[in-house]
Amino acid sequence: ARHQTNRIMLDLCADIIVNVSGSGYLMQMGTMNSQGVGNPPRNITKYGNGLFNPSGDNTGFTGTVSIVEGTINPGAISAFGPAYVGAVVVSNGGTLLLQRNMRSKPYTFMGSGSGNTGCLLIAGANISFTDQYAITLGADVTFGLHDGARTLTLANSITGDYGILKLGPGTLKLDTNNYFTGDLTQNGGTLYVNRPNQYRQFTILNGTAYLNGSNTNTAVRTIALGGTVIFSNDYNLSDGPASFDISNI
């Protein structure tokens, strides 16, 4: 079923659960507030495999959005509230689908997302994370870039003891120093690593990877099982990779 709220103001007096099951679709419009005078911020948790589309001017929402199951596709730049307050947490089994840039706030990602297509998906626009907040990996993650014409640029640091799988024909740019220590794996499309990183191992299954920033983890291995790896002229092989394995190219 498809349901849409009216253009009214919603005042959240407690934490709420949004449960959209099956192929259901729920759109929120109007405005949403989560903090009354003297009250703490209220939070939203998304359950169910359906789609929740918060699309209002929710500058009064200052809580945390947690995606446990299914997909949230924000329909406005302030759908998750104003910049620098609150947070977004995507758990294993949940997906954040972005078609526009959002206000700056902390993001945490975990798992491969709803249907294993990615806990972070982009569609219809190039997306950039360019603020001072680090992206935290709470588990190994899959970033799904299934539109070959689109680019995801991560210009804020990525932290956590986990790894990233880049999936699909789109382009991923890692444009700042990163501190995640798991594996970096590419399966399709184009990858740019433009600054120093600390990932443990880079594996390319297919696609093209431009390694323009040295790896500060001196034990890193680069394994090419397919695709193309291009090192920049100033890539310091003494910093990484410590070993380079090639097969099936």
Side-chain angles (χ1 to χ4, degrees), residues 189-226:
T190 304
L191 172 68
Y192 291 87
V193 180
N194 292 328
R195 298 290 295 273
N197 282 262
Q198 294 184 1
Y199 53 78
R200 178 177 54 210
Q201 175 173 290
F202 172 60
T203 301
I204 179 169
L205 303 174
N206 59 68
T208 301
Y210 295 86
L211 302 184
N212 302 320
S214 61
N215 196 301
T216 56
N217 178 358
T218 56
V220 70
R221 296 177 65 205
T222 295
I223 301 175
L225 301 176

Side-chain angles (χ1 to χ4, degrees), residues 25 27 51-55 71-77 80 96-102 120-129 147 150:
Y25 171 87
M27 173 182 283
L51 174 66
F52 178 40
N53 179 217
S55 299
T71 301
I72 290 185
N73 175 20
I77 190 173
F80 294 152
L96 174 61
L97 169 60
L98 292 181
Q99 295 178 290
R100 57 190 45 77
N101 291 314
M102 302 299 294
L120 174 62
L121 302 177
I122 68 169
N126 296 325
I127 302 297
S128 297
F129 287 74
D147 183 344
R150 301 303 176 188

Side-chain angles (χ1 to χ4, degrees), residues 76-96:
I77 190 173
S78 58
F80 294 152
Y84 313 123
V85 294
V88 177
V89 178
V90 185
S91 299
N92 191 15
T95 293
L96 174 61

